[in-house]
């Protein structure tokens, strides 16, 4: 399915989707199980068997609309979801030969109406209550759509100038064509959500005081962690988020010939494969975890391997070396875990004699991101993650809800979508419990 | 290539094997037939010829396939006509072919109108050296509108009259190719027998309308926005062909050249069991080429060897005693569905099939939580009437068996 051409310098590559007859053929492999196990795997509650059945019997529009109803980000999830550990992991067909390519079929379903204006779902009677959604990433957008369907007035406040959050600024364009995120953003707008870029810096408490009836915090994780290595201040040391954001905005930063990436998650993989596309001849990825322990999706790891990224697993960074203020190398050492299963640096025991050096023109740190802000009256955990009640996504402050990575600490897009939908339900229940009298109505009071 | 002896005598003519190219595009020239013979076909029926004055005005396109899932040709619809080639030219080719290929059987298919015309074409075909003659009383499109083709084969009296004309003029065995587009083929086949023909070829194509283009509302194949019902062939029609072959072989008792949907040696073996003495193939050859005869020959050869049977003749009609009326079927033989838990993949397709298409006798177990058998369906033997539908939907070969019930007596 994939038409990747690493190293060609192309920053835009897309997974090819099925032609209609190919989609029908793949769908016809579906055993159409009773009590289908695949359906239990989707956090967003997409009815996989039903949309596959629709494709199989040629009802492509029906498939598109069914999936979009459950998951606004139908095209995005078809590309980013780790389906191999979700719906596809449970596919009965795997017992016979290979699982149904549910991801590919979802891409197909999502693309049926790509470039056209997908019809909007029915919106309940307009309600006067106003909800502010902080952040326009997957969780915020999913919630905004559900809230609009329920009739609420929704403003999506986005800190950056480019809405879409992770979808437009975090995932490299060769993994997700920006038009998908944009069309899905457009869908929320057409439903009546006001997306307001450049306005995400506001505190929920102040928003409540200024006339919103509820606030959803869906800001994601944007504060990059750094390791504190010797040499971290050298020219040529970057955090992954910065590089990815520049690339997402169309920039092509020159990272040099040799690039070392530190980290074992999806962002590290994205940084490594992006570096290849920016012209690096050799990319080394160094991480604490073994191959099997890496938090990145298997499919992404395999892609990076296939593209030639060199992996140095179960290693810990020692120093970044420089000359004349610029990066020239990276030093690391092999580790073993003191206590099995605890994959944190403090649990790593260095193995003498396993020191290694890599030449480097750039070092990219991709060891995770944290919460950028603190909010008045909203409880957080020791990592600064917003504590939310899992059923309703309500925070400790009445009227303030939270969803997505800012509560989970970093999960999948589909998980954020699922939480966004739950948060919308929670907000709906909360606002109904207040009654319409609580609202000043219209735009501002 | 393995060369088992599959020779068989049919209507007094020795065939090197029972696989014969049917009258159709693959037999429209000597060059094509020669390639077919070189590939191993035991015989060929030259595409239907008419006298010089018969105008053959073809349309295009004249073919379209019926697709299903990954197969783009489970059925083929054609509105082709008889050969549009000049009769003397083809007859010259027949003579030359006969000189080159003595072992293979060359049958010439023909169609005519009046008694004089039938007799004339019979004489000319024989003079060219045809080993046998096949008369098309069966083409379902184009020709019937002119009183030929299936217009003849749908009428017992016309069939008798014309068959008799040809038999009177012929010195080689005559086959009459009949149409399945009738309510009962047996009275018509009976008339063929009474007229003295050596055998019957059946079936010709089923008359069908393949479909419509949903954008233009034109039927398919689309001839400039219009189309017409045509002849439907291919794997989809095999069960219908087998039914006609067995009807004729069992109830009329005349040699039958079986044709309709044969693709593999298994299909061919089934036609032999149903009473066919030779098997004709067209659509599969058009789709896959002449070379598939290699698989027919080797496959049937291995099968006969495995079964300890001598020649294809030992199969001919061997299944017919087992084809009986519905009334004659045993009511004491009762089966019940049985699911092999070791083979079952747990899809539950049988549950859906039994619930919505059967007798609600199959369910996932209620008391299997934690055993690992949660998705292995159980059969309620009280409710199961042994219909056998679950077995047809199971994706695993041999997982669902219909087991004979213990006698209750």
């Amino acid at each position: 399915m994939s038409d990747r051409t690493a190293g060609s310098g192309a920053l835009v590559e897309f997974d090819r989707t099925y032609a209609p007859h190919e989609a029908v053929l793949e769908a016809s492999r579906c055993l159409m199980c009773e009590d289908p196990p695949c359906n239990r795997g989707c956090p967003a509650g997409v009815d996989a068997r039903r949309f596959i059945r629709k494709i199989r019997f040629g009802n492509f529009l029906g498939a598109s609309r069914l999936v979009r109803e459950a998951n606004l980000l139908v095209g995005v999830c078809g590309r980013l979801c780790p389906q191999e550990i979700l719906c596809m992991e449970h596919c009965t067909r795997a017992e016979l030969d290979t699982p149904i390519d549910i991801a590919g079929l979802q891409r197909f379903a999502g693309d049926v109406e790509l470039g056209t204006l997908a019809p909007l779902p029915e919106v309940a009677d307009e309600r006067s209550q106003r909800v502010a959604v902080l952040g326009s990433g997957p969780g915020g957008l999913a919630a905004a759509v559900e809230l609009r369907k329920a009739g609420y007035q929704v403003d999506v406040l986005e800190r950056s100038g480019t809405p879409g959050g992770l979808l437009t600024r975090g995932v490299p364009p060769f993994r997700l064509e920006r038009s998908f995120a944009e069309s899905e953003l457009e869908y929320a707008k057409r439903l009546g959500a006001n997306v307001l870029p450049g306005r995400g810096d506001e505190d929920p408490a102040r928003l409540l005081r200024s006339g919103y009836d509820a606030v959803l915090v869906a800001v994601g994780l944007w504060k990059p962690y750094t390791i504190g290595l010797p040499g971290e201040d050298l020219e040529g040391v970057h955090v992954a988020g910065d590089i990815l954001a520049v690339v997402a905005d169309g920039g092509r930063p020159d990272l040099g010939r040799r690039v070392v990436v530190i980290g074992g998650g999806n962002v590290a993989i994205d940084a490594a494969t992006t570096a290849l596309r920016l012209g690096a001849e050799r990319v080394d990825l160094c991480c604490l975890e073994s191959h099997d322990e890496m938090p990145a999706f298997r499919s992404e790891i395999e892609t990076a391997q296939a593209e030639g990224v060199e992996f140095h697993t179960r290693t810990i960074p020692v120093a970044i070396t420089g000359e004349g203020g610029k990066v020239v190398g990276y030093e690391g050492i092999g580790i073993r875990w003191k206590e099995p299963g605890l994959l944190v640096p403090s649990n790593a025991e260095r193995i003498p004699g396993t020191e290694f050096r890599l030449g480097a023109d750039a070092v990219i740190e991709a060891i995770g991101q944290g919460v950028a802000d603190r909010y008045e009256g909203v409880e957080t955990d020791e990592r600064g993650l917003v504590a939310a009640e899992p059923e309703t996504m309500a925070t400790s402050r009445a009227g303030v809800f939270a969803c997505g990575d800012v509560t989970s600490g970093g999960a999948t897009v589909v998980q954020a979508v699922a939480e966004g939908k739950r948060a919308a339900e929670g907000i709906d229940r909360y606002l109904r419990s207040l009654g319409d009298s609580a609202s000043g109505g219209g735009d501002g009071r | 290539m393995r060369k088992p002896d599959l020779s068989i005598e049919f209507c007094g003519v020795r065939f090197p094997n029972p696989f014969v190219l049917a009258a159709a595009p693959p037999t429209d020239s000597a060059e094509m037939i020669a390639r077919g013979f070189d590939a191993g076909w035991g015989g060929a029926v030259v595409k239907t010829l008419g006298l010089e004055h018969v105008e053959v005005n073809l349309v295009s396109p004249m073919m379209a396939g019926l697709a299903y899932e990954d197969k783009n040709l489970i059925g083929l619809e054609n509105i082709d006509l008889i050969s549009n080639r000049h009769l003397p030219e083809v007859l010259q080719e027949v003579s030359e072919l006969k000189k080159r290929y003595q072992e293979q059987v060359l049958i010439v298919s023909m169609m005519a109108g009046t008694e004089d015309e039938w007799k004339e074409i019979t004489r000319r075909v024989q003079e060219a050296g045809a080993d046998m003659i096949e008369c098309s009383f069966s083409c379902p499109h184009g020709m019937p509108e002119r009183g030929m083709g299936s217009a003849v084969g749908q009428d017992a009296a016309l069939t008798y009259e014309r068959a008799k004309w040809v038999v009177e003029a012929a010195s080689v065995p005559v086959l009459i190719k009949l149409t399945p587009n009738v309510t009962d083929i047996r009275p018509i086949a009976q008339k063929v027998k009474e007229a003295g023909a050596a055998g019957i070829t059946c079936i010709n194509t089923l008359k069908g309308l393949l479909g419509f283009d949903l954008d233009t509302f034109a039927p398919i194949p689309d001839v400039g926005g219009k189309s017409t019902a045509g002849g439907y062939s291919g794997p989809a029609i095999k069960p219908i062909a087998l039914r006609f072959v067995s009807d004729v072989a069992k109830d009329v008792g005349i040699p039958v050249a079986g044709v309709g949907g044969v693709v593999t040696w298994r299909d061919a073996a089934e036609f032999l069991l149903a009473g066919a003495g030779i098997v004709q193939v067209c659509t599969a050859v058009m789709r896959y080429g002449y070379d598939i005869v290699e698989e027919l020959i080797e496959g049937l050869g291995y099968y006969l060897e495995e079964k300890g049977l001598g020649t294809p003749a030992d199969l001919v009609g061997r299944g017919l005693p087992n084809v009986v009326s519905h009334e004659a079927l045993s009511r004491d033989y009762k089966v019940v569905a049985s699911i092999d838990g070791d083979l079952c993949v747990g899809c539950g397709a049988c549950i859906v099939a039994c619930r919505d298409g059967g007798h609600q006798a199959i369910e996932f177990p209620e008391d299997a939580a934690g055993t690992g058998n949660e998705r292995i369906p159980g059969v309620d033997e009280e409710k199961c009437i042994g219909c056998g539908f679950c077995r047809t939907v199971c994706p695993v070969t041999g997982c669902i068996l219909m087991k004979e019930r213990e006698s209750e007596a």
Side-chain angles (χ1 to χ4, degrees), chain A residues 413-429:
Chain A
V413 169
V414 69
Q415 180 70 33
V417 168
E419 288 177 14
K421 288 169 71 179
R422 280 212 299 283
E425 278 174 39
I427 291 168
D428 182 45
R429 241 172 298 163

mmCIF file with all atom_site columns, all heavy atoms in Angstrom, chain A residues 413-429:
data_model
loop_
_atom_site.group_PDB
_atom_site.id
_atom_site.type_symbol
_atom_site.label_atom_id
_atom_site.label_alt_id
_atom_site.label_comp_id
_atom_site.label_asym_id
_atom_site.label_entity_id
_atom_site.label_seq_id
_atom_site.pdbx_PDB_ins_code
_atom_site.Cartn_x
_atom_site.Cartn_y
_atom_site.Cartn_z
_atom_site.occupancy
_atom_site.B_iso_or_equiv
_atom_site.pdbx_formal_charge
_atom_site.auth_seq_id
_atom_site.auth_comp_id
_atom_site.auth_asym_id
_atom_site.auth_atom_id
_atom_site.pdbx_PDB_model_num
ATOM 1   N N   . VAL A 1 413 ? -4.206  9.095  18.401 1.00 0.00 ? 413 VAL A N   1
ATOM 2   C CA  . VAL A 1 413 ? -5.207  10.032 17.907 1.00 0.00 ? 413 VAL A CA  1
ATOM 3   C C   . VAL A 1 413 ? -6.603  9.508  18.196 1.00 0.00 ? 413 VAL A C   1
ATOM 4   O O   . VAL A 1 413 ? -7.482  10.232 18.650 1.00 0.00 ? 413 VAL A O   1
ATOM 5   C CB  . VAL A 1 413 ? -5.011  10.268 16.389 1.00 0.00 ? 413 VAL A CB  1
ATOM 6   C CG1 . VAL A 1 413 ? -6.197  11.017 15.809 1.00 0.00 ? 413 VAL A CG1 1
ATOM 7   C CG2 . VAL A 1 413 ? -3.716  11.027 16.135 1.00 0.00 ? 413 VAL A CG2 1
ATOM 8   N N   . VAL A 1 414 ? -6.796  8.221  17.967 1.00 0.00 ? 414 VAL A N   1
ATOM 9   C CA  . VAL A 1 414 ? -8.144  7.674  18.133 1.00 0.00 ? 414 VAL A CA  1
ATOM 10  C C   . VAL A 1 414 ? -8.555  7.709  19.612 1.00 0.00 ? 414 VAL A C   1
ATOM 11  O O   . VAL A 1 414 ? -9.722  7.912  19.945 1.00 0.00 ? 414 VAL A O   1
ATOM 12  C CB  . VAL A 1 414 ? -8.241  6.251  17.535 1.00 0.00 ? 414 VAL A CB  1
ATOM 13  C CG1 . VAL A 1 414 ? -7.442  5.233  18.314 1.00 0.00 ? 414 VAL A CG1 1
ATOM 14  C CG2 . VAL A 1 414 ? -9.686  5.824  17.404 1.00 0.00 ? 414 VAL A CG2 1
ATOM 15  N N   . GLN A 1 415 ? -7.571  7.570  20.485 1.00 0.00 ? 415 GLN A N   1
ATOM 16  C CA  . GLN A 1 415 ? -7.858  7.681  21.919 1.00 0.00 ? 415 GLN A CA  1
ATOM 17  C C   . GLN A 1 415 ? -8.316  9.108  22.244 1.00 0.00 ? 415 GLN A C   1
ATOM 18  O O   . GLN A 1 415 ? -9.273  9.314  22.992 1.00 0.00 ? 415 GLN A O   1
ATOM 19  C CB  . GLN A 1 415 ? -6.590  7.328  22.711 1.00 0.00 ? 415 GLN A CB  1
ATOM 20  C CG  . GLN A 1 415 ? -6.735  7.405  24.211 1.00 0.00 ? 415 GLN A CG  1
ATOM 21  C CD  . GLN A 1 415 ? -7.618  6.298  24.754 1.00 0.00 ? 415 GLN A CD  1
ATOM 22  O OE1 . GLN A 1 415 ? -7.632  5.196  24.215 1.00 0.00 ? 415 GLN A OE1 1
ATOM 23  N NE2 . GLN A 1 415 ? -8.400  6.599  25.773 1.00 0.00 ? 415 GLN A NE2 1
ATOM 24  N N   . ALA A 1 416 ? -7.643  10.093 21.654 1.00 0.00 ? 416 ALA A N   1
ATOM 25  C CA  . ALA A 1 416 ? -8.020  11.485 21.877 1.00 0.00 ? 416 ALA A CA  1
ATOM 26  C C   . ALA A 1 416 ? -9.429  11.745 21.348 1.00 0.00 ? 416 ALA A C   1
ATOM 27  O O   . ALA A 1 416 ? -10.226 12.448 21.979 1.00 0.00 ? 416 ALA A O   1
ATOM 28  C CB  . ALA A 1 416 ? -7.017  12.420 21.207 1.00 0.00 ? 416 ALA A CB  1
ATOM 29  N N   . VAL A 1 417 ? -9.739  11.149 20.189 1.00 0.00 ? 417 VAL A N   1
ATOM 30  C CA  . VAL A 1 417 ? -11.079 11.304 19.624 1.00 0.00 ? 417 VAL A CA  1
ATOM 31  C C   . VAL A 1 417 ? -12.116 10.720 20.584 1.00 0.00 ? 417 VAL A C   1
ATOM 32  O O   . VAL A 1 417 ? -13.148 11.335 20.873 1.00 0.00 ? 417 VAL A O   1
ATOM 33  C CB  . VAL A 1 417 ? -11.174 10.619 18.249 1.00 0.00 ? 417 VAL A CB  1
ATOM 34  C CG1 . VAL A 1 417 ? -12.622 10.511 17.786 1.00 0.00 ? 417 VAL A CG1 1
ATOM 35  C CG2 . VAL A 1 417 ? -10.339 11.370 17.230 1.00 0.00 ? 417 VAL A CG2 1
ATOM 36  N N   . ALA A 1 418 ? -11.814 9.530  21.080 1.00 0.00 ? 418 ALA A N   1
ATOM 37  C CA  . ALA A 1 418 ? -12.750 8.876  21.997 1.00 0.00 ? 418 ALA A CA  1
ATOM 38  C C   . ALA A 1 418 ? -12.963 9.739  23.237 1.00 0.00 ? 418 ALA A C   1
ATOM 39  O O   . ALA A 1 418 ? -14.102 9.916  23.692 1.00 0.00 ? 418 ALA A O   1
ATOM 40  C CB  . ALA A 1 418 ? -12.219 7.500  22.383 1.00 0.00 ? 418 ALA A CB  1
ATOM 41  N N   . GLU A 1 419 ? -11.868 10.301 23.771 1.00 0.00 ? 419 GLU A N   1
ATOM 42  C CA  . GLU A 1 419 ? -12.002 11.134 24.967 1.00 0.00 ? 419 GLU A CA  1
ATOM 43  C C   . GLU A 1 419 ? -12.746 12.429 24.652 1.00 0.00 ? 419 GLU A C   1
ATOM 44  O O   . GLU A 1 419 ? -13.521 12.924 25.468 1.00 0.00 ? 419 GLU A O   1
ATOM 45  C CB  . GLU A 1 419 ? -10.616 11.455 25.543 1.00 0.00 ? 419 GLU A CB  1
ATOM 46  C CG  . GLU A 1 419 ? -9.968  10.256 26.203 1.00 0.00 ? 419 GLU A CG  1
ATOM 47  C CD  . GLU A 1 419 ? -8.553  10.575 26.696 1.00 0.00 ? 419 GLU A CD  1
ATOM 48  O OE1 . GLU A 1 419 ? -8.197  11.769 26.758 1.00 0.00 ? 419 GLU A OE1 1
ATOM 49  O OE2 . GLU A 1 419 ? -7.824  9.622  27.015 1.00 0.00 ? 419 GLU A OE2 1
ATOM 50  N N   . GLY A 1 420 ? -12.504 12.978 23.470 1.00 0.00 ? 420 GLY A N   1
ATOM 51  C CA  . GLY A 1 420 ? -13.203 14.184 23.060 1.00 0.00 ? 420 GLY A CA  1
ATOM 52  C C   . GLY A 1 420 ? -14.709 13.956 23.022 1.00 0.00 ? 420 GLY A C   1
ATOM 53  O O   . GLY A 1 420 ? -15.501 14.796 23.459 1.00 0.00 ? 420 GLY A O   1
ATOM 54  N N   . LYS A 1 421 ? -15.090 12.784 22.506 1.00 0.00 ? 421 LYS A N   1
ATOM 55  C CA  . LYS A 1 421 ? -16.528 12.464 22.455 1.00 0.00 ? 421 LYS A CA  1
ATOM 56  C C   . LYS A 1 421 ? -17.098 12.310 23.860 1.00 0.00 ? 421 LYS A C   1
ATOM 57  O O   . LYS A 1 421 ? -18.210 12.757 24.148 1.00 0.00 ? 421 LYS A O   1
ATOM 58  C CB  . LYS A 1 421 ? -16.741 11.177 21.640 1.00 0.00 ? 421 LYS A CB  1
ATOM 59  C CG  . LYS A 1 421 ? -16.506 11.375 20.145 1.00 0.00 ? 421 LYS A CG  1
ATOM 60  C CD  . LYS A 1 421 ? -16.457 10.073 19.383 1.00 0.00 ? 421 LYS A CD  1
ATOM 61  C CE  . LYS A 1 421 ? -17.823 9.412  19.277 1.00 0.00 ? 421 LYS A CE  1
ATOM 62  N NZ  . LYS A 1 421 ? -17.727 8.155  18.509 1.00 0.00 ? 421 LYS A NZ  1
ATOM 63  N N   . ARG A 1 422 ? -16.322 11.655 24.729 1.00 0.00 ? 422 ARG A N   1
ATOM 64  C CA  . ARG A 1 422 ? -16.789 11.491 26.116 1.00 0.00 ? 422 ARG A CA  1
ATOM 65  C C   . ARG A 1 422 ? -16.896 12.836 26.816 1.00 0.00 ? 422 ARG A C   1
ATOM 66  O O   . ARG A 1 422 ? -17.837 13.103 27.552 1.00 0.00 ? 422 ARG A O   1
ATOM 67  C CB  . ARG A 1 422 ? -15.834 10.582 26.889 1.00 0.00 ? 422 ARG A CB  1
ATOM 68  C CG  . ARG A 1 422 ? -16.039 9.105  26.638 1.00 0.00 ? 422 ARG A CG  1
ATOM 69  C CD  . ARG A 1 422 ? -15.712 8.282  27.886 1.00 0.00 ? 422 ARG A CD  1
ATOM 70  N NE  . ARG A 1 422 ? -14.329 8.427  28.319 1.00 0.00 ? 422 ARG A NE  1
ATOM 71  C CZ  . ARG A 1 422 ? -13.299 7.812  27.723 1.00 0.00 ? 422 ARG A CZ  1
ATOM 72  N NH1 . ARG A 1 422 ? -13.509 7.022  26.706 1.00 0.00 ? 422 ARG A NH1 1
ATOM 73  N NH2 . ARG A 1 422 ? -12.065 7.996  28.166 1.00 0.00 ? 422 ARG A NH2 1
ATOM 74  N N   . ALA A 1 423 ? -15.919 13.718 26.548 1.00 0.00 ? 423 ALA A N   1
ATOM 75  C CA  . ALA A 1 423 ? -15.937 15.033 27.167 1.00 0.00 ? 423 ALA A CA  1
ATOM 76  C C   . ALA A 1 423 ? -17.171 15.812 26.709 1.00 0.00 ? 423 ALA A C   1
ATOM 77  O O   . ALA A 1 423 ? -17.819 16.490 27.513 1.00 0.00 ? 423 ALA A O   1
ATOM 78  C CB  . ALA A 1 423 ? -14.666 15.804 26.812 1.00 0.00 ? 423 ALA A CB  1
ATOM 79  N N   . ALA A 1 424 ? -17.515 15.690 25.426 1.00 0.00 ? 424 ALA A N   1
ATOM 80  C CA  . ALA A 1 424 ? -18.692 16.391 24.923 1.00 0.00 ? 424 ALA A CA  1
ATOM 81  C C   . ALA A 1 424 ? -19.949 15.904 25.637 1.00 0.00 ? 424 ALA A C   1
ATOM 82  O O   . ALA A 1 424 ? -20.824 16.697 25.996 1.00 0.00 ? 424 ALA A O   1
ATOM 83  C CB  . ALA A 1 424 ? -18.815 16.183 23.415 1.00 0.00 ? 424 ALA A CB  1
ATOM 84  N N   . GLU A 1 425 ? -20.016 14.603 25.843 1.00 0.00 ? 425 GLU A N   1
ATOM 85  C CA  . GLU A 1 425 ? -21.166 14.066 26.590 1.00 0.00 ? 425 GLU A CA  1
ATOM 86  C C   . GLU A 1 425 ? -21.172 14.592 28.010 1.00 0.00 ? 425 GLU A C   1
ATOM 87  O O   . GLU A 1 425 ? -22.230 14.935 28.561 1.00 0.00 ? 425 GLU A O   1
ATOM 88  C CB  . GLU A 1 425 ? -21.100 12.531 26.638 1.00 0.00 ? 425 GLU A CB  1
ATOM 89  C CG  . GLU A 1 425 ? -21.640 11.851 25.402 1.00 0.00 ? 425 GLU A CG  1
ATOM 90  C CD  . GLU A 1 425 ? -21.413 10.338 25.469 1.00 0.00 ? 425 GLU A CD  1
ATOM 91  O OE1 . GLU A 1 425 ? -21.557 9.754  26.566 1.00 0.00 ? 425 GLU A OE1 1
ATOM 92  O OE2 . GLU A 1 425 ? -21.067 9.761  24.413 1.00 0.00 ? 425 GLU A OE2 1
ATOM 93  N N   . GLY A 1 426 ? -19.983 14.627 28.620 1.00 0.00 ? 426 GLY A N   1
ATOM 94  C CA  . GLY A 1 426 ? -19.870 15.119 29.990 1.00 0.00 ? 426 GLY A CA  1
ATOM 95  C C   . GLY A 1 426 ? -20.311 16.575 30.086 1.00 0.00 ? 426 GLY A C   1
ATOM 96  O O   . GLY A 1 426 ? -21.038 16.964 31.006 1.00 0.00 ? 426 GLY A O   1
ATOM 97  N N   . ILE A 1 427 ? -19.887 17.357 29.095 1.00 0.00 ? 427 ILE A N   1
ATOM 98  C CA  . ILE A 1 427 ? -20.248 18.779 29.091 1.00 0.00 ? 427 ILE A CA  1
ATOM 99  C C   . ILE A 1 427 ? -21.754 18.933 28.890 1.00 0.00 ? 427 ILE A C   1
ATOM 100 O O   . ILE A 1 427 ? -22.408 19.741 29.556 1.00 0.00 ? 427 ILE A O   1
ATOM 101 C CB  . ILE A 1 427 ? -19.452 19.526 27.985 1.00 0.00 ? 427 ILE A CB  1
ATOM 102 C CG1 . ILE A 1 427 ? -17.978 19.589 28.379 1.00 0.00 ? 427 ILE A CG1 1
ATOM 103 C CG2 . ILE A 1 427 ? -20.023 20.909 27.743 1.00 0.00 ? 427 ILE A CG2 1
ATOM 104 C CD1 . ILE A 1 427 ? -17.043 20.047 27.257 1.00 0.00 ? 427 ILE A CD1 1
ATOM 105 N N   . ASP A 1 428 ? -22.301 18.132 27.980 1.00 0.00 ? 428 ASP A N   1
ATOM 106 C CA  . ASP A 1 428 ? -23.744 18.179 27.727 1.00 0.00 ? 428 ASP A CA  1
ATOM 107 C C   . ASP A 1 428 ? -24.515 17.883 29.012 1.00 0.00 ? 428 ASP A C   1
ATOM 108 O O   . ASP A 1 428 ? -25.456 18.598 29.379 1.00 0.00 ? 428 ASP A O   1
ATOM 109 C CB  . ASP A 1 428 ? -24.094 17.161 26.632 1.00 0.00 ? 428 ASP A CB  1
ATOM 110 C CG  . ASP A 1 428 ? -25.576 17.177 26.285 1.00 0.00 ? 428 ASP A CG  1
ATOM 111 O OD1 . ASP A 1 428 ? -26.130 18.284 26.126 1.00 0.00 ? 428 ASP A OD1 1
ATOM 112 O OD2 . ASP A 1 428 ? -26.169 16.087 26.181 1.00 0.00 ? 428 ASP A OD2 1
ATOM 113 N N   . ARG A 1 429 ? -24.083 16.829 29.697 1.00 0.00 ? 429 ARG A N   1
ATOM 114 C CA  . ARG A 1 429 ? -24.780 16.470 30.940 1.00 0.00 ? 429 ARG A CA  1
ATOM 115 C C   . ARG A 1 429 ? -24.655 17.596 31.980 1.00 0.00 ? 429 ARG A C   1
ATOM 116 O O   . ARG A 1 429 ? -25.614 17.951 32.650 1.00 0.00 ? 429 ARG A O   1
ATOM 117 C CB  . ARG A 1 429 ? -24.218 15.160 31.499 1.00 0.00 ? 429 ARG A CB  1
ATOM 118 C CG  . ARG A 1 429 ? -25.276 14.061 31.581 1.00 0.00 ? 429 ARG A CG  1
ATOM 119 C CD  . ARG A 1 429 ? -24.667 12.739 31.954 1.00 0.00 ? 429 ARG A CD  1
ATOM 120 N NE  . ARG A 1 429 ? -23.699 12.322 30.935 1.00 0.00 ? 429 ARG A NE  1
ATOM 121 C CZ  . ARG A 1 429 ? -22.783 11.399 31.121 1.00 0.00 ? 429 ARG A CZ  1
ATOM 122 N NH1 . ARG A 1 429 ? -22.678 10.785 32.286 1.00 0.00 ? 429 ARG A NH1 1
ATOM 123 N NH2 . ARG A 1 429 ? -21.944 11.071 30.151 1.00 0.00 ? 429 ARG A NH2 1
#
